[in-house]
Amino acid sequence: LNRLSSSADALGKLRTDLRAKYPEDTFYRRDAFRSDFAAYADQTLCVAQSLQQVPTPNARFGDADARLDAALADLIEHTRAGREAVRARNVSDYRKWFKDVDAKLAAVREAAAIQR
């Protein structure tokens, strides 16, 4: 349960750190943006995928675990799409990522909090 909490917090911190550098719904054309975003996406994917591997503590958490896994799968797919948008320099797809990223992270945080 502690790992769930700390990992959910880590996902939020990754987003906060990226937002501090690039706060607007703007596709930055600087090379640093692409590499910073790739690092953010890779770290987010790593944390989310490792969270998917955490076993359910016991049967009473089964429904909550299924919700968390679904939220993580959604975040993983969304993060991959954002990473591809930045790699391809697709501004429209980047804006879609930007518009939904905070909701995806909130869903993971909420699902992780239910298990506490």
Side-chain angles (χ1 to χ4, degrees):
L1 295 177
N2 287 338
R3 183 171 175 199
L4 290 177
S5 178
S6 64
S7 294
D9 291 345
L11 289 169
K13 182 172 178 353
L14 289 168
R15 177 68 183 118
T16 299
D17 292 349
L18 183 67
R19 185 181 293 123
K21 283 182 143 179
Y22 307 102
E24 298 95 28
D25 175 15
T26 301
F27 187 91
Y28 295 85
R29 301 250 178 237
R30 299 180 302 231
D31 287 337
F33 171 70
R34 286 190 300 282
S35 62
D36 288 345
F37 192 91
Y40 158 80
D42 290 348
Q43 291 170 359
T44 297
L45 291 169
C46 183
V47 172
Q49 289 168 338
S50 71
L51 257 176
Q52 284 183 316
Q53 303 305 312
V54 174
T56 304
N58 62 47
R60 74 182 176 107
F61 290 108
D63 289 342
D65 190 52
R67 268 181 287 198
L68 178 60
D69 282 344
L72 287 166
D74 202 24
L75 176 64
I76 288 167
E77 179 182 334
H78 186 258
T79 302
R80 286 181 177 147
R83 192 178 199 293
E84 177 57 22
V86 171
R87 187 200 64 73
R89 297 181 175 124
N90 186 320
V91 175
S92 297
D93 285 349
Y94 172 77
R95 286 193 176 130
K96 287 178 194 173
W97 172 85
F98 189 93
K99 180 178 75 84
D100 294 335
V101 65
D102 293 324
K104 304 292 183 191
L105 289 167
V108 170
R109 279 192 305 271
E110 288 170 19
I114 289 171
Q115 295 195 23
R116 289 184 210 157

